Amino acid sequence: MGGYIVRRLLYTIPVVLGVLVTTFILLRLIPGDPVDLFYLGGQDPSGTVSFVVTPSQQSAYDALRREFNLDKHIVHQFFIYLWDFIRFDFGKSIRSQRPINEIIGDHWPATIQLTLAGMGLALFIGIGAGVISAIRHHTWVDYASQSFAVFGVSIPSFFLGVILVMIFSVGLGWLPAISNGHGKELILPGITLGTAASAILARLMRSSMLDVLSRDYIRTARAKGLRERAVIWLHALRNALIPVVTVAGLAFGGLLTGTVIIESVFTRQGLGLQLISAITQRDYPVVQGLVMLAALLYAGMNLVVDILYTYIDPRVRLVRASV
Amino acid sequence: MSTDALREPTSATAQDPLELRPPRSEWQMSYRRFWRHKAAVLGLSILIIISIGAIFADVIAIEPEETFYSFDELQTKKWLPPLTDGHLMGTDDIGRDVFSRVVRGSRVSLRVGFFAVGIASIAGTLFGLAAGYFGGWVDQVVSRAIDVMLAFPDLLLAIAILAALGPSLVNAMVALGLAGIPGYARVVRGATLAARELVYVHAARAVGMSDTRIMLRHILPNVLSPILIMMTLGLGGAILAASALGFLGLAADPPTPEWGSELNLSRAYLRTAWWVSTFNGAAIAVTVLSVNMVGDGLREALDPQASSWAR
């Protein structure tokens, strides 16, 4: 057991290192470096254009290059980046000179609240609809929730958000179209974000539950005279949840990235909006820091899910320990 | 077909009516299963209509590609509601016919979708085949690269690649394609590992067939159905992702009639003219929905064991 967790933790290290290398290389593939692009400003970003640093700018240009270590060898740059990362220092914005840690500190609550709202909704609707669908197999309830599942993964979240705003903000005036806080302001964005994930979970939950309900131990539970409610909620659900846990971990990544879109729809001042404006302003250190943060959160979530898994399903522990 | 078979000069076994029909191949059975799937057939029909719309966009669109109106004309032209003056879907803030732009948008979205899926599936299949077939260090390198790429959640890898390449429609296509590679590579690698041990693959190796030939002739057909399923469902995902990038302002530039960016721009006058946002959004939803229905049907047709318990 302990051995498995340790091995799983060790496995995370090369992946994080790989992510680090990837983000580092990716943003150095850009034509010109961040400082060049900063001087290029909003001009033609194709990168092939020649631009001239005027003599009056030269010293500032050199200073900026030094400040972001761009005058050093690329391998040297990587080790500086790595060392900063180990100390949880994500660097600073090339535009505003603000430390990225400060940007993250200011904007993470909006994003995490939204992600959790979406996750909560997805788990509630997904598991609920999936179980009911399986119990009422081949009835109109089942067909309705199946249609919801297909529809939910097909509708773009931003379109759903716009529809909800049209109905509940513009039409009825019940809920705000612009969202920054929590409570009432989180309802529309949460629904918008969570719909696709709840559709995926509902579908998986249904098939998993149907599978479990056909097992012998469920027949045994019924045969010994247990009430149907106890059979479903105590015996079947626990087993049917096992595959759903893994997918819920993957869904977390989808929700985390989805906040980029949802924050755009509801002008929510979270990390997603920061990422988009950093991309359009070519503020590469910020892009790098935020992408890295999301990848780390995702890796952390998957780690938690995998460890959680061994508690829910002891068989995993045994099988994986023997490999 | 059975009557033809009956007229044929008979051999001894052909007398038996059960022997008249040649046994169906795996693919024929899948074909029949697909056509029995009502949602898939419906999805395919919608998709064919959308594709025809995309191919003949210039004929179907009632308005020339770049239409501009003077300020005075605009007063009577802009924000016309649907079904006025022959504008099926109304007009937008600068008097352009929304229907024409939505039809042209299908061209953009389908092109992006097919290119992205093309890049991802071809590259992913090659990497997966190589990793699964050769094993050893090739497998190690490919598998670790897959792990790292899959460590980025969902759309984020595409966004990061797009940030490096610079936001544009072509780059969005490339970014979505590259970000899709690890998914295919992983599935193909797994399927190849299983196919590698098939008896006829061993036989092919024994008679001295080249590795490339074995991979393409004997292993690829075995891994084709998961690839096809992934490609169809991936097409829906790519169209959805591309429109999301468009919505975020990272893909198409304004004059391009891309559904996502149109939806984003028209949000500004949602109160005045809801139809511009609605029709562009609906176009994405309908297209992705029909692709997904085809994908579901295909999965049940090609992989009945895996989906039979999903009833």
Side-chain angles (χ1 to χ4, degrees):
Chain A
M1 176 75 224
Y4 170 69
I5 293 178
V6 169
R7 251 177 300 136
R8 182 63 186 76
L9 271 169
L10 287 177
Y11 168 78
T12 311
I13 295 171
V15 169
V16 169
L17 213 59
V19 169
L20 217 60
V21 174
T22 310
T23 45
F24 180 81
I25 291 175
L26 209 55
L27 294 178
R28 268 150 195 84
L29 286 180
I30 48 169
D33 62 43
V35 173
D36 285 350
L37 287 162
F38 175 72
Y39 273 86
L40 210 59
Q43 293 170 44
D44 181 15
S46 61
T48 47
V49 284
S50 56
F51 76 101
V52 184
V53 178
T54 57
S56 60
Q57 289 176 325
Q58 191 63 49
S59 65
Y61 173 83
D62 288 341
L64 201 58
R65 287 188 65 91
R66 255 197 311 281
E67 205 180 323
F68 284 89
N69 297 313
L70 291 167
D71 52 339
K72 301 191 176 67
H73 189 266
I74 187 141
V75 178
H76 189 175
Q77 281 184 46
F78 179 73
F79 281 104
I80 296 173
Y81 176 53
L82 189 64
W83 175 237
D84 285 345
F85 172 77
I86 291 168
R87 292 177 299 147
F88 288 105
D89 178 1
F90 285 104
K92 61 182 174 183
S93 161
I94 213 160
R95 297 266 155 196
S96 64
Q97 298 284 329
R98 273 185 79 195
I100 292 163
N101 284 350
E102 215 175 286
I103 298 178
I104 293 172
D106 282 355
H107 296 280
W108 73 270
T111 300
I112 290 296
Q113 282 166 1
L114 181 56
T115 311
L116 291 180
M119 192 81 198
L121 183 93
L123 288 175
F124 183 72
I125 306 263
I127 293 174
V131 170
I132 292 169
S133 231
I135 300 171
R136 305 256 173 276
H137 190 199
H138 287 320
T139 64
W140 70 268
V141 189
D142 182 24
Y143 295 133
S145 103
Q146 285 273 82
S147 314
F148 161 75
V150 178
F151 194 72
V153 289
S154 303
I155 189 167
S157 61
F158 50 87
F159 181 45
L160 181 66
V162 169
I163 295 175
L164 292 176
V165 165
M166 247 188 298
I167 297 173
F168 294 102
S169 308
V170 179
L172 299 168
W174 289 352
L175 295 163
I178 290 176
S179 146
N180 257 321
H182 44 85
K184 205 174 164 184
E185 294 195 3
L186 213 48
I187 298 176
L188 290 186
I191 294 174
T192 312
L193 180 63
T195 298
S198 59
I200 294 168
L201 290 182
R203 203 169 181 174
L204 184 72
M205 190 69 219
R206 175 181 179 272
S207 54
S208 170
M209 193 74 178
L210 281 176
D211 184 37
V212 169
L213 284 176
S214 68
R215 294 291 174 86
D216 287 342
Y217 56 81
I218 294 297
R219 196 186 308 157
T220 309
R222 282 185 180 137
K224 74 180 181 186
L226 270 186
R227 272 172 301 135
E228 187 62 17
R229 198 177 290 172
V231 173
I232 302 284
W233 297 107
L234 292 178
H235 292 250
L237 184 64
R238 273 183 57 179
N239 288 293
L241 271 177
I242 293 172
V244 177
V245 171
T246 320
V247 174
L250 295 174
F252 175 80
L255 290 167
L256 197 63
T257 324
T259 58
V260 177
I261 297 163
I262 310 301
E263 284 172 12
S264 228
V265 174
F266 294 95
T267 339
R268 198 176 161 80
Q269 296 299 323
L271 294 171
L273 271 191
Q274 294 297 314
L275 177 64
I276 296 303
S277 75
I279 291 174
T280 46
Q281 292 179 356
R282 314 190 146 260
D283 195 341
Y284 288 100
V286 177
V287 175
Q288 184 171 282
L290 293 179
V291 167
M292 199 57 223
L293 177 73
L296 277 182
L297 279 175
Y298 184 53
M301 188 67 189
N302 279 326
L303 185 67
V304 170
V305 164
D306 273 6
I307 292 173
L308 205 65
Y309 211 92
T310 60
Y311 283 100
I312 308 173
D313 189 358
R315 284 170 302 181
V316 173
R317 204 152 66 213
L318 296 173
V319 171
R320 290 191 188 169
S322 65
V323 172
Chain B
M1 106 180 193
S2 59
T3 50
D4 281 352
L6 278 172
R7 283 198 201 99
E8 268 179 31
T10 53
S11 67
T13 49
Q15 297 291 347
D16 182 355
L18 287 175
E19 295 287 320
L20 281 178
R21 194 187 284 163
R24 290 195 194 103
S25 77
E26 199 72 22
W27 288 102
Q28 278 172 321
M29 296 203 308
S30 299
Y31 184 78
R32 288 169 65 95
R33 274 195 296 267
F34 181 82
W35 286 104
R36 253 184 260 135
H37 197 281
K38 283 183 206 127
V41 175
L42 177 68
L44 189 63
S45 320
I46 300 172
L47 206 58
I48 289 171
I49 295 171
I50 295 171
S51 309
I52 291 173
I55 294 166
F56 298 104
D58 290 323
V59 186
I60 296 168
I62 55 173
E63 199 177 68
E65 180 113 38
E66 308 228 335
T67 310
F68 300 102
Y69 296 101
S70 70
F71 183 77
D72 290 332
E73 279 176 317
L74 211 52
Q75 303 314 308
T76 57
K77 273 287 202 184
K78 73 171 179 182
W79 289 333
L80 292 177
L83 297 174
T84 44
D85 292 349
H87 295 295
L88 191 62
M89 297 181 182
T91 61
D92 67 4
D93 56 331
I94 51 172
R96 294 174 303 192
D97 179 48
V98 175
F99 175 71
S100 303
R101 291 185 64 76
V102 168
V103 169
R104 287 210 171 85
S106 64
R107 202 176 253 189
V108 179
S109 288
L110 289 183
R111 194 186 295 151
V112 175
F114 279 115
F115 264 94
V117 169
I119 295 172
S121 58
I122 293 172
T125 303
L126 292 180
F127 283 126
L129 271 177
Y133 183 79
F134 292 117
W137 67 268
V138 182
D139 187 26
Q140 282 298 320
V141 171
V142 173
S143 296
R144 292 297 83 78
I146 293 173
D147 282 350
V148 168
M149 282 174 91
L150 289 178
F152 291 93
D154 206 40
L155 199 56
L156 197 71
L157 185 58
I159 292 180
I161 297 173
L162 194 56
L165 297 174
S168 83
L169 192 61
V170 176
N171 289 347
M173 220 142 71
V174 175
L176 288 171
L178 293 178
I181 292 176
Y184 290 90
R186 192 168 63 164
V187 169
V188 172
R189 176 184 171 273
T192 306
L193 281 177
R196 191 175 62 171
E197 302 307 328
L198 292 173
V199 178
Y200 59 79
V201 174
H202 283 301
R205 204 175 298 140
V207 297
M209 215 181 217
S210 77
D211 286 334
T212 324
R213 220 170 124 83
I214 295 176
M215 276 193 269
L216 296 180
R217 289 287 296 275
H218 294 297
I219 294 185
L220 190 60
N222 271 297
V223 301
L224 210 55
S225 44
I227 298 176
L228 273 177
I229 297 166
M230 276 191 85
M231 281 174 80
T232 324
L233 294 172
L235 179 65
I239 293 174
L240 205 58
S243 68
L245 294 176
F247 179 83
L248 293 172
L250 301 178
D253 289 322
T256 314
E258 201 274 324
W259 292 334
S261 64
E262 288 288 285
L263 175 54
N264 182 34
L265 295 173
S266 60
R267 274 195 304 152
Y269 48 83
L270 197 59
R271 278 168 200 273
T272 336
W274 53 268
W275 49 88
V276 188
S277 304
T278 310
F279 288 122
N280 277 293
I284 306 168
V286 169
T287 309
V288 176
L289 187 64
S290 54
V291 175
N292 283 346
M293 291 197 299
V294 173
D296 282 345
L298 213 54
R299 177 162 54 190
E300 271 167 49
L302 291 175
D303 199 3
Q305 285 89 356
S307 45
S308 65
W309 54 272
R311 279 159 294 202

